[in-house]
Amino acid sequence: MDRAIVYAGSIPLDTDLLLAGRYTKAAFGNLASMLYGPNVMAASGLGYSVSSSSLNLTIDAGSVLAPGVMDASAIGGNGGGLAADATALTCQYISAASQTITLPGSGNTYTIYALCSEQDADPTVLPFFNASNPSQTQAGLQNDGGTLPVRRTGAMTLVAATNPPVPPAGGCVVALYTITVPQGASTLAGVTVQPGQVFWPTIPELATQALLKASTEPMTLVTGNGSVSIPAWASRVELRAIGAGGGGAASQATTTASSFSGGGGGGDAWGIYTVSPTQGNGLAITVGSGGGSEQTGGTSLVSYLGQTLLQAEGGQGGTFYSTTGSAGGVGGNASGGTVWNQSGTSGGDGQCNAYTFSGYGGDGPWGGAGRCGNQGGRNATRYGAGGGGSYSATTDGASSSGGTGYQGCVLYRFLP
């Protein structure tokens, strides 16, 4: 790192001290780039708490490392000082006290942004030499008691918005958290706050078993469509997708067949994939819905950077192939898995001419197939399982529905 050199007997200049500050800032900036990589944003502290009586979100004190410049404007003055220097540098920005933000409303997803920039602070009345009489001092530049800032500080202001604000001059905008406020909500009670990708593990965490524990936790179950952010420490993700079960066949009193088939189970894809916390907006997850009576279940899939990583199709619904025959739904296909791609279990056949069968639904990975039932097939009870077929109706012309297939799911776990 650079250091200022001074000599005994020389007259110290304002630029000597200002340059010493620049050398120090450059040294810490280069060290931060070595630790985190160039142009990487990292946050420390800045914990949060939500209000149970309003739409207020409080962010604790903390700091951010982010791209900036040496000096966006001249520093010092009064005939001296240093000119602005636009040299790119990793800079530190500090929030010395907690800040409370009121979210603009409900029914929207907001991001908490830190607007990071350097500001001149601590206005002070400084003593200056009187050129006409050096033994006397002046209070301020013109002896008028005027103040001058004596500290240039990296500071941050927090805002909540749906789109990134315009970066301050010489500074940057850092996304800290996202929060989805349900429509009509008047408080943040029970609302989940999702940390951004800037919260990296600390060196003590990396040096202990904390990271190992995080990567060996049980897989997280997802039962609805959505997205998942990639932690800063992760380089891979383990995924498993289960397609939804198909619905069982319905029975009608006017149908010759008297025993009806079950729906097929959803496919099952499992794999491990490379990801990056600095690329894209995380994993996009789609979960298939269970098929209704005689309907095919929905497909479950996970995509990243616009490409599907793996998918599991839903099982087909139970069907009739003739007036005296009812075939069980075929299990869903699976693709994209690097560990396995397993087709779902087919549903049980219902009737073939004079022969009748059970008409149970196809099991999912954890069982749960719906059984065939009098005047209505039974619904499946576990992820990916098919519904059971119905084998009678109450009156002539009436219909008894087949059982509903159970929805699919996605499981994930991030790995170093």
Side-chain angles (χ1 to χ4, degrees), residues 374-388:
N374 180 27
Q375 299 179 12
R378 303 301 185 256
N379 296 336
T381 58
R382 295 181 184 270
Y383 296 108

Side-chain angles (χ1 to χ4, degrees), residues 25 69-72 91 93 116-120 152-155:
K25 181 179 178 180
V69 299
M70 179 63 76
D71 280 306
C91 300
Y93 305 94
C116 301
S117 64
E118 290 195 326
Q119 305 168 10
D120 289 346
R152 177 160 288 185
T153 180

Side-chain angles (χ1 to χ4, degrees), residues 156-186:
M156 69 176 80
T157 301
L158 304 181
V159 298
T162 54
N163 294 300
V166 177
C172 65
V173 173
V174 178
L176 298 178
Y177 297 98
T178 56
I179 178 169
T180 299
V181 183
Q183 184 67 45
S186 59

Side-chain angles (χ1 to χ4, degrees), residues 217-266:
E217 288 288 331
M219 297 180 77
T220 298
L221 175 67
V222 180
T223 59
N225 298 343
S227 61
V228 176
S229 298
I230 300 171
W233 53 265
S235 63
R236 298 174 300 156
V237 64
E238 181 181 4
L239 296 168
R240 188 176 182 184
I242 311 297
S251 63
Q252 299 177 16
T254 56
T255 303
T256 303
S258 61
S259 181
F260 301 88
S261 58

Side-chain angles (χ1 to χ4, degrees), residues 16-337:
D16 295 330
L17 298 177
L18 293 172
L19 281 172
R22 280 192 173 176
Y23 295 153
T24 302
K25 181 179 178 180
F28 278 105
N30 291 331
L31 178 60
S33 294
M34 290 175 62
L35 290 174
Y36 290 94
N39 300 317
V40 172
M41 299 177 182
S44 177
L46 300 172
Y48 68 88
S49 58
V50 298
S51 173
S52 59
S53 59
S54 68
L55 295 178
N56 286 348
L57 178 70
T58 299
I59 305 296
D60 299 335
S63 62
V64 164
L65 291 175
V69 299
M70 179 63 76
D71 280 306
S73 60
I75 184 168
N78 189 32
L82 297 175
D85 184 346
T87 301
L89 191 67
T90 299
C91 300
Q92 184 185 53
Y93 305 94
I94 295 175
S95 177
S98 61
Q99 299 185 42
T100 298
I101 308 160
T102 300
L103 300 184
S106 63
N108 217 333
T109 297
Y110 300 99
T111 301
I112 307 303
Y113 293 100
L115 278 64
C116 301
S117 64
E118 290 195 326
Q119 305 168 10
D120 289 346
D122 298 345
T124 303
V125 179
L126 297 174
F128 283 84
F129 283 107
N130 184 340
S132 301
N133 186 356
S135 64
Q136 295 180 344
T137 57
Q138 299 181 149
L141 279 175
Q142 305 298 327
N143 203 27
D144 58 2
T147 62
L148 290 170
V150 296
R151 179 168 61 99
R152 177 160 288 185
T153 180
M156 69 176 80
T157 301
L158 304 181
V159 298
T162 54
N163 294 300
V166 177
C172 65
V173 173
V174 178
L176 298 178
Y177 297 98
T178 56
I179 178 169
T180 299
V181 183
Q183 184 67 45
S186 59
T187 75
L188 297 183
V191 176
T192 301
V193 179
Q194 179 70 41
Q197 298 178 351
V198 295
F199 291 95
W200 295 69
T202 64
I203 292 177
E205 288 172 335
L206 292 172
T208 64
Q209 297 181 352
L211 183 61
L212 178 61
K213 180 177 182 296
S215 63
T216 55
E217 288 288 331
M219 297 180 77
T220 298
L221 175 67
V222 180
T223 59
N225 298 343
S227 61
V228 176
S229 298
I230 300 171
W233 53 265
S235 63
R236 298 174 300 156
V237 64
E238 181 181 4
L239 296 168
R240 188 176 182 184
I242 311 297
S251 63
Q252 299 177 16
T254 56
T255 303
T256 303
S258 61
S259 181
F260 301 88
S261 58
D268 182 353
W270 195 339
I272 298 175
Y273 309 87
T274 299
V275 294
S276 170
T278 60
Q279 289 185 296
N281 296 316
L283 304 174
I285 295 177
T286 301
V287 173
S289 299
S293 180
E294 303 181 11
Q295 299 297 312
T296 298
T299 297
S300 298
L301 61 89
V302 181
S303 60
Y304 174 60
L305 298 178
Q307 302 293 321
T308 298
L309 297 179
L310 78 172
Q311 69 174 27
E313 298 175 359
Q316 295 180 5
T319 59
F320 296 96
Y321 60 86
S322 74
T323 57
T324 59
S326 180
V330 177
N333 294 321
S335 61

